[in-house]
Amino acid sequence: MFTLKLAWRYAFSRSNRHRSATIVIMLGIAVGMLAIIIMLSLMNRLQSDLLDQVKSIESFHVQVTFPANESDARTVDDIVAALRGTPGVAQVYPQVNTQVLIQNPATNRSTTARLRIIDSSIWKTENPFSDRTHMVRGSYPTPLHIATGTALATKLSLALGDSINMTVLGAGKTVVLAPTTIAVTASGVFRTGLPEFDSSTLVTDLDPLVSTIGAKRIMYGLYLEDGYVDNSKQVLRSITETFPSATIRTWQQVNSAFYSALTLEKVLMYLFLFFMFIILAVNMKNASSRLLHVKQRELAILRAVGAQKTTATKVFLGQTIIITVLGETLGIIGGVYLGKYIGNVFSWLNSLQYLFTRRDNLLLAYPFTTEVKAMEVALIAISVLVLSLGFTYLGCRRLFRKEPMEMLYHD
Amino acid sequence: MNMRFSMWLSGRLLVPKGESKYARLRLVRSAALIAIVMIPLVLALIFMDGMMNGITDKYILLQDGHIQLHVEDPLFDSQYDVSAIDPRLESADYVVSGYGIVYSRDTTAEVRIKGVDISYFNENRMTQLEFTGEPLKKEGSLAAVMLSTTIAQKLGVEVGQRVAFMVVPDSYSSVVRPVLANVTALYDSGYHELDSSLLFMNRDDAMRYFPKDRNAYTELLVSRDHVDDLGAIVATLESAMDKNFPYATWDEFNGTVYQNFITSRQVILLVFMMILLVAGVYVSSIAQEMIQDSMQSIALFKTLGATNSNLSWAYFCSVMVVTSIGLVAGVSLGLLIGSQIGVLLHWLGNSGLAGLQYYLLDFRIVISWRDILAISFSMLVISSVTVRLSLGRIRRISPLEMLQQD
Amino acid sequence: MTKELLRFHTVTKTFVSGQSQLVILEDLDFVLYSGTSVAITGKSGSGKSTLLNIAGGLDKPSAGSVSFLGRELGALNDKELSAFRNRHIGFVFQSHILLDDFTALENVCVPALIRGARQADAVKRAKELLDRVGLSDRLQHRPQKLSGGERQRVAICRALVNAPDLIIADEPTGSLDEESSSGIETLLTDIVREEGKTLLMVTHDTQLASRCSTVYLLHNRTLQEME
């Protein structure tokens, strides 16, 4: 208790000229923590929203495919049933994704697109895709009807009911891929919030196109139950046991490059922001070193009246812990609170910059939200504390080598 | 205010003589830390600006050009020197462009097909890619195409082999027939995002598949220094040729890419500002330390008639000189290391990290002096403010403190 | 021709400590004429240093007024007061109080530089003064390398560098041995006389006090002239 009291006094006593240095360092740590929490929580939310969209709309949680040359008596329905029966699997949707050429004769517009041929039950049941997809106009596709993304519909100047020519590459008689042109009807326009998906994808029902394209190209998209999405080892094992020849890819593997890029960006952000703490730690080292110089007489007196040698060590390290913990606490509270209202803050900043530029800033006008990960914050807090203690040690290391009384001799 | 005294004192504070080893070390350490803060900021700027400029160059030089004049017939022949009309223009190429699907035995890829003449690959464009084979060399009746190595790997084809493709047909034809093409060359621009969807075709072949009324245009390149004058350049052309041209500029074609760059830059600069803010706090602590160490001297100066502003200026100047030295050293070192950043990026590129495919790692080093000056200036401004705040302490030092009262 | 240099008019100085008040000076009237040397003696804690601090513009009276060459010090702002101290007052303290990181020459130059003199002129004047006090071979020495007597001589030179009207000395020989004290006493009084300055000094040293034209005793918060 005495040590703690002394550490507090050294840090904050009004009669102590060290006080302002303490407050500056503490505020610096608070600002640093606030900044790092805000930036990382923004990144967390942006990345998790993006990944959520990608795995819900684009890649599914798990993709299962079978070798093209494998002859298997099981039908698509058998395979779906077996997969659905695997523990951890919530839904299974057989599908084919392929490139197509589309012409809209009504408007003379044409383009390439990606066609997703998928069981139309995906629109009707509750699943991550239907949760995020909003049918802007019309209805979900039935056989020989298609739904397009909003941007794609605009590109083609597509109206509901328009008949469009779609050329798709399917199994040929003598070649693996041969083009087939089919007339389909636009039945709906959807929006998913994933711009690349909306600008390039048509969706239609499995029947009858899957037979044109070839059942061998079917990929089974699986949605997993909560808890298994990011930790699917068990599910994968079960599927492998059931289908030893199947190729199974998780959403991380399907999007490995993208995922890796996001991880890289986050690591770089960590490094950059951690730099702030290096600066603060140097500050702390200097302050500790100066405090030691000022307090050496006092420490010698303490030794003379019976304090242990480690008392001085504990006082200095205790001081660092107090300053760092207080600073971090302030920073975390500020960061979490500000994170909750970050949208309002950015909106205010946008209004401010509008006064000068007369234009909205896209970054500031974006409706940001944050996701604070407790483990991440805890890890940062511990790292900062360890860094602070390390630098304090550097600032006072002669204290830990020498007897405080010895330091008086040069006086 | 007596500037002479302030400057003299400032000089003495900056160059402590005799046995003030601690004071000297403090100044050197402070400058060194500021330099260390600036180095990664400068490196990050060089990387960001270089990469963004590099990606922009790829899109402009290989995909879209600076300006597209939507005129169905060629305006100039391939030998014509357009800089004679406007010295800001570097080249003009007649191009036919459309979309299609290219496929091999069992794989497909959606591509943008660009029909060009061999003269399209001028000196400027050749800096953006490497190729193997003979680009677009016509052999027989099959179309000649140059694929990227990315597409070729996906399709499993090599130079000399054939691929099939289907193009978006014109409105008059409702039947799509596949067309065969010879892969006469493979190119690599170093930027995966571009390579994965761009294919070059012999222009004469492309004109068979893409009607020129909707797919042909003249692609103009302007010199680097005049990328902000695109409208004026078109006006000059129109005036010289006595015609009006419907046109579009590169930022309109690639609005999303362009906007992403702006947003990324703003985010990075925001992070920089936060780091500089903390660095500014550190600079103010240098001032505080110096004042704390000289309290008796300051009290004596005041007794001898120095004013608060004399002393504040002296300390302010000495701290800002140290900051400036650190700043200059950091920026210089950052630029020096940054000029060699290619070696590090080359190593990174060979590391096999999948996520790096979204980045361009082979680009010309670009130093944006504007950005470097902006962060340097910000550092100085932030430091000035924080140091001025801490100099208030001088005001509170009383000469009486120094005198031992009995 | 003598003129009135400094006037204390019913000066009172009170120090407040918590609930209690300590009156150090009370209704003190005092006039100092140019060209004179005045010594103030008294018991420890009687307020001698306080009186000197008020005279030098370092402290303000709680009541009453202090004027210097007809100008009231209480009416001056901080900048004017600093200029007043720099140009009109030369301080010599008991423990010299030199700048440790500056050489003897630089210590003497400081008031001149504060006044705005060019460095060359300040150095020239400082060298003249240091030569006069026998320290021409100590110009580049730091205070740590000087003896007590030498440091006090540097302090005296510093006090004279701007040719002030008034030299205020607070126990100038208080921390010196007998031999050094004697040297300093002679130096101080001789130089003040030669330069035609006015000296206001606090001292316990009766021998030094006797060299002054007037000696006062500060007793019971007032000044009494001694025979």
Side-chain angles (χ1 to χ4, degrees):
Chain A
M1 245 347 255
F2 169 71
T3 313
L4 198 63
K5 217 171 167 180
L6 199 59
W8 181 274
R9 183 175 164 267
Y10 278 17
F12 291 112
S13 165
R14 204 175 265 279
S15 64
N16 180 8
R17 283 182 180 157
H18 182 65
R19 188 170 180 242
S20 55
T22 299
I23 290 172
V24 164
I25 291 169
M26 198 178 76
L27 286 175
I29 292 174
V31 166
M33 282 302 288
L34 188 143
I36 210 169
I37 286 171
I38 295 284
M39 287 308 298
L40 288 178
S41 62
L42 279 171
M43 265 189 114
N44 285 341
R45 175 57 74 197
L46 283 171
Q47 287 189 353
S48 96
D49 280 353
L50 196 54
L51 284 171
D52 223 24
Q53 283 180 318
V54 164
K55 60 189 169 189
S56 301
I57 294 162
E58 187 63 64
S59 65
F60 292 76
H61 297 157
V62 173
Q63 291 181 0
V64 180
T65 50
F66 294 89
N69 53 4
E70 190 181 84
S71 60
D72 195 321
R74 284 180 285 202
T75 63
V76 170
D77 289 339
D78 292 338
I79 294 171
V80 167
L83 286 170
R84 202 173 277 146
T86 308
V89 174
Q91 288 119 348
V92 181
Y93 296 100
Q95 59 185 284
V96 177
N97 290 289
T98 186
Q99 275 99 21
V100 294
L101 299 176
I102 326 171
Q103 293 167 273
N104 183 358
T107 58
N108 284 339
R109 297 226 179 164
S110 40
T111 188
T112 53
R114 188 258 302 262
L115 175 69
R116 176 169 283 184
I117 305 169
I118 191 165
D119 189 341
S120 57
S121 63
I122 199 170
W123 299 95
K124 302 177 219 171
T125 53
E126 204 177 296
N127 58 66
F129 179 84
S130 62
D131 285 345
R132 282 164 185 75
T133 308
H134 166 61
M135 197 57 79
V136 174
R137 293 196 299 274
S139 58
Y140 57 81
T142 50
L144 292 178
H145 283 72
I146 53 137
T148 68
T150 46
L152 185 55
T154 307
K155 213 195 272 187
L156 292 168
S157 301
L158 201 63
L160 293 181
D162 278 356
S163 174
I164 61 176
N165 296 327
M166 191 170 70
T167 305
V168 63
L169 286 163
K173 294 190 178 71
T174 54
V175 295
V176 176
L177 291 173
T180 311
T181 303
I182 307 161
V184 291
T185 309
S187 70
V189 176
F190 61 81
R191 181 183 291 126
T192 62
L194 206 53
E196 277 165 20
F197 193 87
D198 292 349
S199 64
S200 65
T201 310
L202 310 161
V203 182
T204 189
D205 193 35
L206 266 181
D207 294 321
L209 282 176
V210 71
S211 50
T212 307
I213 287 168
K216 295 285 183 197
R217 288 171 66 187
I218 288 178
M219 179 266 287
Y220 297 85
L222 275 57
Y223 288 123
L224 304 183
E225 286 163 7
D226 290 343
Y228 289 95
V229 176
D230 294 325
N231 189 10
S232 52
K233 279 202 183 96
Q234 224 172 308
V235 176
L236 302 187
R237 225 176 293 130
S238 306
I239 297 173
T240 309
E241 279 166 18
T242 314
F243 301 103
S245 62
T247 304
I248 307 164
R249 296 206 299 164
T250 60
W251 67 269
Q252 291 100 326
Q253 287 166 324
V254 173
N255 301 296
S256 63
F258 183 59
Y259 189 56
S260 166
L262 291 180
T263 309
L264 191 65
E265 282 178 8
K266 200 163 178 198
V267 165
L268 284 174
M269 189 61 77
Y270 261 119
L271 284 173
F272 254 108
L273 292 171
F274 213 76
F275 215 58
M276 290 191 290
F277 292 108
I278 303 281
I279 301 169
L280 288 166
V282 169
N283 235 6
M284 211 175 264
K285 171 186 170 292
N286 291 345
S288 303
S289 175
R290 292 168 63 76
L291 181 69
L292 172 64
H293 182 71
V294 163
K295 292 295 182 186
Q296 61 189 15
R297 194 183 291 272
E298 197 171 308
L299 293 172
I301 291 168
L302 284 174
R303 284 289 282 138
V305 299
Q308 293 178 1
K309 193 173 175 185
T310 52
T311 303
T313 314
K314 286 179 195 166
V315 166
F316 275 83
L317 294 178
Q319 199 204 183
T320 298
I321 293 172
I322 289 169
I323 296 168
T324 308
V325 167
L326 279 175
E328 285 181 345
T329 308
L330 271 173
I332 291 169
I333 293 170
V336 170
Y337 185 77
L338 194 63
K340 253 178 92 178
Y341 298 102
I342 196 73
N344 295 356
V345 171
F346 277 10
S347 175
W348 177 81
L349 286 172
N350 188 37
S351 312
L352 189 66
Q353 70 86 36
Y354 190 88
L355 294 173
F356 300 99
T357 63
R358 311 310 290 175
R359 260 196 326 228
D360 272 330
N361 181 297
L362 279 180
L363 178 66
L364 296 173
Y366 187 84
F368 283 109
T369 51
T370 55
E371 180 184 332
V372 176
K373 290 184 178 169
M375 276 306 291
E376 211 171 58
V377 172
L379 192 65
I380 294 167
I382 291 168
S383 306
V384 169
L385 184 61
V386 167
L387 189 71
S388 306
L389 287 169
F391 272 77
T392 301
Y393 172 76
L394 279 177
C396 311
R397 59 183 186 279
R398 68 187 178 113
L399 173 67
F400 306 128
R401 286 200 303 257
K402 275 188 179 182
E403 171 62 54
M405 295 287 278
E406 283 177 31
M407 288 191 279
L408 288 179
Y409 292 162
H410 79 275
D411 272 2
Chain B
M1 183 179 54
N2 183 356
M3 282 307 288
R4 264 200 212 119
F5 169 69
S6 299
M7 289 302 109
W8 174 82
L9 182 58
S10 181
R12 289 294 277 105
L13 289 168
L14 277 171
V15 189
K17 290 180 186 160
E19 286 159 18
S20 310
K21 188 178 154 197
Y22 175 76
R24 274 201 299 280
L25 266 176
R26 174 176 57 203
L27 294 174
V28 168
R29 270 201 292 252
S30 304
L33 188 68
I34 292 164
I36 288 168
V37 167
M38 293 307 295
I39 290 171
L41 298 190
V42 170
L43 285 176
L45 264 180
I46 288 174
F47 176 76
M48 182 179 73
D49 287 337
M51 191 181 73
M52 287 180 182
N53 275 298
I55 292 174
T56 307
D57 279 350
K58 298 274 179 223
Y59 277 110
I60 288 171
L61 288 167
L62 297 178
Q63 185 169 283
D64 300 307
H66 282 114
I67 306 168
Q68 289 180 0
L69 301 176
H70 295 294
V71 177
E72 66 180 72
D73 292 314
L75 287 173
F76 316 101
D77 65 44
S78 58
Q79 304 306 315
Y80 187 79
D81 181 10
V82 282
S83 60
I85 299 179
D86 189 324
R88 294 172 289 190
L89 279 168
E90 288 190 342
S91 65
D93 295 280
Y94 182 61
V95 169
V96 175
S97 174
Y99 292 89
I101 296 172
V102 64
Y103 58 100
S104 61
R105 220 182 91 86
D106 47 18
T107 327
T108 64
E110 206 176 313
V111 291
R112 177 176 170 161
I113 300 170
K114 211 166 166 186
V116 298
D117 184 62
I118 191 63
S119 62
Y120 182 82
F121 297 104
N122 55 30
E123 209 179 300
N124 240 345
R125 290 193 174 97
M126 288 309 292
T127 60
Q128 298 300 319
L129 49 77
E130 292 170 351
F131 62 82
T132 51
E134 295 178 77
L136 312 178
K137 186 181 175 192
K138 198 107 166 79
E139 281 171 3
S141 60
L142 295 183
V145 296
M146 179 164 71
L147 305 179
S148 66
T149 48
T150 307
I151 298 174
Q153 270 165 21
K154 187 179 179 191
L155 299 176
V157 296
E158 290 170 2
V159 174
Q161 291 184 335
R162 290 178 186 178
V163 288
F165 63 94
M166 300 188 298
V167 295
V168 174
D170 63 37
S171 54
Y172 308 110
S173 164
S174 59
V175 176
V176 173
R177 285 195 194 84
V179 179
L180 282 178
N182 260 333
V183 179
T184 62
L186 298 180
Y187 78 89
D188 184 4
S189 76
Y191 186 46
H192 179 271
E193 288 294 289
L194 186 72
D195 288 355
S196 60
S197 62
L198 183 62
L199 177 155
F200 293 98
M201 182 183 279
N202 183 293
R203 188 174 63 199
D204 295 332
D205 293 328
M207 287 181 75
R208 292 209 302 265
Y209 309 117
F210 301 113
K212 65 179 182 178
D213 60 338
R214 283 220 295 259
N215 298 98
Y217 57 88
T218 297
E219 188 177 299
L220 302 176
L221 291 181
V222 307
S223 59
R224 201 171 280 281
D225 297 333
H226 296 105
V227 289
D228 294 326
D229 301 339
L230 301 181
I233 291 169
V234 172
T236 311
L237 260 176
E238 285 174 342
S239 158
M241 302 183 78
D242 198 22
K243 276 185 192 167
N244 281 330
F245 302 120
Y247 72 96
T249 55
W250 75 272
D251 48 328
E252 289 162 2
F253 315 137
N254 288 300
T256 312
V257 170
Y258 181 63
Q259 196 49 59
N260 281 349
F261 284 170
I262 292 177
T263 307
S264 300
R265 175 187 242 105
Q266 286 177 342
V267 168
I268 299 249
L269 289 176
L270 189 69
V271 171
F272 283 5
M273 283 304 138
M274 284 193 275
I275 294 172
L276 291 178
L277 203 63
V278 173
V281 166
Y282 171 72
V283 171
S284 87
S285 74
I286 302 171
Q288 280 186 343
E289 272 185 38
M290 286 173 77
I291 293 167
Q292 214 170 311
D293 287 347
S294 333
M295 281 179 81
Q296 201 183 44
S297 303
I298 290 170
L300 181 58
F301 284 129
K302 281 191 170 187
T303 306
L304 299 175
T307 59
N308 287 323
S309 58
N310 287 153
L311 295 166
S312 297
W313 265 111
Y315 281 87
F316 178 79
C317 289
S318 46
V319 173
M320 292 313 293
V321 165
V322 169
T323 305
S324 304
I325 290 171
L327 197 60
V328 168
V331 169
S332 306
L333 277 170
L335 289 173
L336 187 65
I337 299 169
S339 65
Q340 305 302 315
I341 205 171
V343 173
L344 172 66
L345 293 176
H346 183 72
W347 174 80
L348 267 176
N350 291 339
S351 66
L353 266 173
L356 292 173
Q357 77 180 35
Y358 290 95
Y359 302 95
L360 177 66
L361 298 178
D362 179 15
F363 50 80
R364 197 170 60 93
I365 302 296
V366 170
I367 294 170
S368 170
W369 291 108
R370 191 189 65 174
D371 284 346
I372 287 176
L373 282 172
I375 60 166
S376 303
F377 183 69
S378 303
M379 175 67 177
L380 286 174
V381 166
I382 291 168
S383 302
S384 303
V385 169
T386 54
V387 168
R388 283 312 272 183
L389 288 173
S390 57
L391 289 178
R393 191 160 228 221
I394 287 179
R395 225 164 262 284
R396 295 196 292 275
I397 296 172
S398 158
L400 287 177
E401 272 188 37
M402 173 202 63
L403 303 171
Q404 269 127 27
Q405 303 292 315
D406 55 10
Chain C
M1 190 176 89
T2 59
K3 57 184 175 187
E4 186 181 292
L5 196 64
L6 179 73
R7 176 179 281 273
F8 274 48
H9 177 64
T10 60
V11 164
T12 299
K13 181 68 185 179
T14 309
F15 286 108
V16 176
S17 174
Q19 299 290 340
S20 60
Q21 281 191 344
L22 189 64
V23 180
I24 303 294
L25 304 172
E26 193 170 14
D27 290 330
L28 195 139
D29 287 301
F30 169 63
V31 179
L32 183 65
Y33 293 94
S34 63
T36 59
S37 52
V38 169
I40 298 177
T41 63
K43 285 194 298 195
S44 193
S46 58
K48 303 184 294 298
S49 296
T50 306
L51 191 150
L52 287 190
N53 290 342
I54 292 173
L58 287 172
D59 201 357
K60 288 189 167 140
S62 309
S65 65
V66 180
S67 55
F68 190 91
L69 289 174
R71 212 169 159 210
E72 205 185 304
L73 296 185
L76 301 180
N77 60 30
D78 180 67
K79 209 168 159 181
E80 288 163 340
L81 211 49
S82 299
F84 156 73
R85 277 201 301 275
N86 179 249
R87 273 152 224 221
H88 297 289
I89 310 287
F91 285 96
V92 181
F93 302 105
Q94 178 178 353
S95 48
H96 56 80
I97 309 183
L98 298 178
L99 298 163
D100 289 333
D101 291 328
F102 295 74
T103 62
L105 182 65
E106 286 169 334
N107 265 282
V108 175
C109 284
V110 165
L113 293 170
I114 291 172
R115 178 168 52 85
R118 284 174 47 218
Q119 190 155 343
D121 295 337
V123 166
K124 188 177 168 206
R125 171 74 174 151
K127 276 183 177 170
E128 277 168 12
L129 286 166
L130 285 166
D131 185 46
R132 205 155 148 200
V133 303
L135 290 176
S136 53
D137 56 344
R138 295 276 198 271
L139 300 182
Q140 301 305 323
H141 280 61
R142 282 186 161 57
Q144 301 94 312
K145 298 261 192 301
L146 300 172
S147 67
E150 287 170 341
R151 289 181 206 169
Q152 201 61 304
R153 276 186 269 170
V154 172
I156 291 170
C157 292
R158 183 182 66 195
L160 290 167
V161 75
N162 276 343
D165 299 296
L166 175 63
I167 307 292
I168 293 179
D170 189 351
E171 305 253 24
T173 57
S175 32
L176 299 175
D177 57 67
E178 207 176 306
E179 196 184 329
S180 304
S181 292
S182 172
I184 293 298
E185 281 164 22
T186 308
L187 177 64
L188 187 59
T189 48
D190 286 352
I191 244 179
V192 165
R193 192 180 55 245
E194 282 161 27
E195 296 268 322
K197 302 298 170 196
T198 309
L199 175 64
L200 177 63
M201 181 167 58
V202 157
T203 184
H204 284 130
D205 188 335
T206 47
Q207 200 171 323
L208 180 56
S210 67
R211 290 186 186 224
C212 297
S213 55
T214 317
V215 180
Y216 287 91
L217 174 68
L218 184 59
H219 180 65
N220 282 343
R221 301 186 282 271
T222 55
L223 278 174
Q224 294 162 8
E225 190 171 342
M226 288 171 73
E227 299 296 321

